[in-house]
């Protein structure tokens, strides 16, 4: 079965640089979520999109933005990177409903030097 | 506000013994509860969920969880642990009646180690 695809899997950036993470949801899933998991931490919700519109917003810094495109893939744009942004970034997808489980991608490990 | 507590950072159990990973929650309205497992350098894998109905929910890989409304708990269980069950386990909750209804609030995770 198709799973959530994230690219790149690993990314190394310097402080103040920008990064773009991509997420391709499971086919026919209409909702995409982004989570950030710091070292030894639980995943923290950043932002979600339903049918290409932002549906919920969590603890996403103003330096970050995201969007969902017409093919339902999503991109998380991160600017003015800080050391504290080093984390594992997960994308998840689901059919829109609080009853449905979210399926997570393998994550993008971002390291900011 | 929604929250999840996993009181044990680490659980050790001998292979073949039953295991329990504890989770308690706080939410307004009916809770939707989930368990996920995370293996090293991997994404979170869905194990099971409670939405409504029977309090005992069966999931993947022989895991089950018991919903207890009076104790606001949703403990994960397995009758006989395998070494391959060693991983990080996250309990998560969402509620229909609060903002951010579709995103998950995770507990801090419990590292399960099954000893051969």
């Amino acid at each position: 079965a198709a799973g959530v695809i994230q690219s790149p899997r690993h990314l190394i950036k310097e402080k103040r640089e920008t990064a773009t993470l991509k997420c391709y949801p499971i086919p026919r899933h209409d909702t995409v979520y982004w989570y950030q998991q710091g070292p030894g931490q639980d995943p923290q919700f950043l932002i979600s999109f339903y049918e290409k519109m932002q549906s919920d917003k969590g603890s996403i810094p103003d330096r970050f933005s995201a969007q969902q495109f017409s093919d339902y893939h999503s991109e998380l744009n991160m600017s003015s990177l800080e050391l504290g942004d080093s984390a594992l970034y997960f994308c998840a997808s689901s059919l829109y409903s609080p009853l449905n489980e979210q399926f997570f991608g393998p994550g993008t490990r971002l390291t900011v030097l | 506000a929604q929250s999840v507590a996993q009181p044990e950072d680490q659980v050790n159990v001998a292979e073949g013994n039953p295991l329990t990973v504890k989770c308690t929650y706080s939410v307004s309205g009916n809770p939707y509860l989930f368990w996920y497992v995370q293996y090293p350098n991997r994404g979170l894998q869905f194990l099971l969920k409670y939405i409504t109905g029977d309090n005992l929910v069966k999931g993947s890989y022989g895991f089950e969880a018991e919903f207890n409304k009076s104790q606001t708990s949703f403990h994960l269980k397995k009758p006989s642990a395998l070494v391959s069950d060693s991983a990080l386990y996250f309990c998560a909750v969402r509620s229909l009646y609060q903002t951010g209804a579709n995103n998950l609030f995770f507990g801090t995770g419990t590292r399960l180690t099954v000893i051969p």
Side-chain angles (χ1 to χ4, degrees):
Chain A
V4 176
I5 298 172
Q6 290 187 248
S7 67
R9 293 293 308 277
H10 301 274
L11 191 57
I12 299 175
K13 291 285 185 178
E14 304 244 337
K15 281 195 306 184
R16 292 179 288 278
E17 285 191 321
T18 62
T20 297
L21 310 185
K22 296 185 178 182
C23 169
Y24 298 85
I26 292 172
R28 292 187 296 280
H29 281 188
D30 50 20
T31 307
V32 168
Y33 312 80
W34 286 96
Y35 291 85
Q36 177 192 58
Q37 186 180 29
Q41 304 292 314
D42 55 292
Q44 295 290 319
F45 171 70
L46 293 178
I47 196 167
S48 64
F49 292 86
Y50 165 63
E51 286 291 345
K52 292 149 279 184
M53 299 288 290
Q54 180 183 309
S55 55
D56 291 306
K57 195 171 182 180
S59 52
I60 185 169
D62 292 340
R63 299 177 289 108
F64 294 6
S65 64
Q67 57 183 324
Q68 186 180 30
F69 294 86
S70 58
D71 64 351
Y72 293 96
H73 95 272
S74 178
E75 295 184 3
L76 178 66
N77 299 294
M78 311 160 72
S79 62
S80 302
L81 286 169
E82 301 173 356
L83 296 178
D85 296 328
S86 295
L88 198 53
Y89 290 83
F90 288 111
C91 172
S93 74
S94 74
L95 289 170
Y96 185 82
S97 167
L99 308 183
N100 291 329
E101 60 270 27
Q102 297 174 15
F103 293 88
F104 283 76
T108 294
R109 184 169 295 281
L110 173 66
T111 302
V112 182
L113 302 176
Chain B
Q2 315 175 61
S3 66
V4 175
Q6 293 181 243
E8 300 160 317
D9 292 335
Q10 174 83 39
V11 169
N12 297 324
V13 64
E15 185 177 22
N17 282 4
L19 69 87
T20 299
V21 182
K22 296 179 180 178
C23 171
T24 59
Y25 66 89
S26 174
V27 68
S28 298
N30 293 326
Y32 300 139
L33 296 156
F34 302 80
W35 274 102
Y36 284 83
V37 59
Q38 185 176 28
Y39 295 97
N41 300 314
R42 300 281 294 277
L44 288 85
Q45 295 179 36
F46 169 75
L47 280 179
L48 50 79
K49 66 181 178 183
Y50 172 82
I51 303 299
T52 187
D54 289 341
N55 289 340
L56 185 64
V57 178
K58 294 190 183 295
S60 306
Y61 312 118
F63 283 94
E64 57 189 30
E66 187 168 10
F67 172 67
N68 187 316
K69 188 173 183 178
S70 63
Q71 296 185 5
T72 62
S73 67
F74 189 56
H75 300 332
L76 181 70
K77 300 181 180 183
K78 187 173 182 180
S80 178
L82 300 173
V83 173
S84 57
D85 293 330
S86 299
L88 190 55
Y89 290 80
F90 287 100
C91 181
V93 67
R94 61 155 66 120
S95 167
L96 190 57
Y97 295 98
Q98 294 179 289
T99 56
N102 275 344
N103 57 277
L104 294 168
F105 287 85
F106 286 90
T108 51
T110 298
R111 184 164 301 282
L112 172 69
T113 300
V114 181
I115 303 164

